[in-house]
């Protein structure tokens, strides 16, 4: 697979949530997805138990059905699915436009990725939950980095978890045995030039040797 040849630092600083620039007209080969997943599987996971499962959805009918669940969830009032809109986030209006753009085309993606972690998070202690999430989130992010290096992109999304049971039914996932991590579109990007994003400056969030009240 052709690669962009980004340095590690470029890859880490320019792997964005891509939504508007996901090219839904270009098919994505299973081989490139598997190449990225093989890299992702090198991420650490608790006890190296490899209890994760990875579902790639590239059947257009199933992509449409899952996309419909995403849309339905998204169209609920904001209060039903997340926290209030922040007033300190730079360019939040643009993020909102971009989020909307993904909602519009999520049901036409070339492919979707739904990673699964074993068991249910409900009722688990923070430590048990940390093992669950920590044993798969890093692999998913590696997958994002591998996509970026190959001219593809994704966006981390969690809205679908409001419809986790419905999505499990569409895919035949045993709901009591696995928790979905999120829903990740997979597509080539329109252009490959992405820039570092705004973040709260390090000085605002970093402390040494103790917690500073701010
Ligand atoms: C835990 C988490 C949940 C998110 N959920 C969604 C989502 O449901 N839909 C969406 O379009 N973007 C979602 N995002 C993407 C964020 O909006 C995005 O990461 C943020 O705006 C920063 O942009 P960047 O990733 O391009 O730097 C989520 C990101 C994270 C890490």
């Amino acid at each position: 697979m052709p690669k962009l040849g980004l340095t590690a630092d470029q890859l880490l600083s320019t792997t964005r949530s891509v939504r508007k620039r996901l090219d839904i007209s270009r098919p994505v080969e299973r081989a490139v997805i598997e190449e990225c997943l093989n890299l992702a599987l090198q991420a650490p996971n608790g006890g190296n138990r490899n209890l994760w499962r990875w579902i790639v959805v590239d059947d257009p009918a199933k992509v449409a059905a899952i996309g419909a669940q995403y849309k339905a969830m998204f169209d609920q009032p904001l209060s039903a699915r997340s926290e209030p809109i922040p007033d300190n986030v730079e360019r939040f209006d643009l993020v909102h436009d971009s989020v909307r753009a993904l909602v519009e085309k999520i049901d036409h993606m070339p492919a979707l990725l739904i990673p699964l972690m074993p068991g249910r998070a409900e009722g688990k202690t923070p430590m048990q939950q940390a093992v669950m999430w920590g044993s798969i989130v890093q692999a998913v992010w590696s997958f994002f980095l591998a996509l970026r290096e190959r001219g593809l992109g994704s966006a981390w999304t969690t809205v679908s978890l409001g419809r986790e049971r419905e999505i499990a039914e569409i895919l035949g996932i045993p709901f009591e045995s696995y928790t979905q991590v999120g829903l990740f579109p997979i597509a080539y990007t329109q252009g490959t030039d992405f820039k570092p994003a705004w973040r709260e400056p390090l000085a605002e969030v970093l402390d040494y040797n103790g917690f500073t009240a701010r």
Side-chain angles (χ1 to χ4, degrees):
M1 297 293 159
K3 296 199 214 146
L4 301 183
L6 300 173
T7 65
D9 285 6
Q10 284 169 335
L11 192 64
L12 289 168
S13 61
T14 66
T15 302
R16 297 269 71 78
S17 296
V18 190
R19 306 183 190 88
K20 287 185 179 173
R21 289 169 61 190
L22 292 175
D23 185 352
I24 57 171
S25 69
R26 185 170 168 193
V28 175
E29 313 81 356
R30 285 188 177 181
V32 71
I33 296 174
E34 289 177 20
E35 194 172 283
C36 294
L37 284 172
N38 264 315
L39 289 164
L41 296 189
Q42 289 297 314
N45 67 98
N48 200 18
R49 296 174 71 203
N50 291 244
L51 296 177
W52 45 36
R53 294 288 300 266
W54 303 83
I55 300 190
V56 173
V57 184
D58 61 3
D59 171 350
K62 288 193 174 170
V63 170
I66 293 167
Q69 294 298 331
Y70 189 91
K71 281 177 194 274
M73 187 60 206
F74 200 88
D75 286 337
Q76 288 190 6
L78 196 58
S79 57
R81 57 169 212 273
S82 72
E83 289 166 7
I85 295 172
D87 56 10
N88 65 327
V89 176
E90 211 171 88
R91 291 158 52 102
F92 187 78
D93 50 335
L94 294 184
V95 173
H96 188 263
D97 282 357
S98 171
V99 167
R100 192 75 234 172
L102 178 61
V103 176
E104 296 305 324
K105 61 186 182 183
I106 187 96
D107 51 344
H108 288 88
M109 283 297 146
L112 302 170
L113 174 69
I114 298 181
L116 304 176
M117 46 192 187
R120 298 295 315 170
E122 294 93 339
K124 293 270 199 306
T125 66
M127 191 179 85
Q128 290 167 330
Q129 289 192 31
V131 173
M132 286 181 75
W133 291 104
S135 291
I136 196 155
V137 166
Q138 299 162 82
V140 181
W141 186 244
S142 291
F143 178 73
F144 274 50
L145 297 172
L147 287 178
R148 162 90 174 112
E149 176 61 12
R150 287 159 181 77
L152 294 95
S154 187
W156 198 285
T157 84
T158 46
V159 166
S160 64
L161 298 182
R163 294 286 174 122
E164 191 189 357
R165 199 177 278 277
E166 290 82 353
I167 292 172
E169 270 170 29
I170 294 167
L171 298 173
I173 298 166
F175 184 83
E176 303 305 329
S177 306
Y178 284 96
T179 303
Q180 295 168 37
V181 176
L183 177 64
F184 307 107
I186 303 172
Y188 281 94
T189 58
Q190 291 163 329
T192 56
D193 184 31
F194 292 92
K195 296 188 172 48
W198 173 84
R199 293 291 190 260
E200 194 78 52
L202 180 62
E204 300 294 323
V205 294
L206 171 70
D207 294 317
Y208 286 103
N209 304 316
F211 182 84
T212 307
R214 292 189 169 87

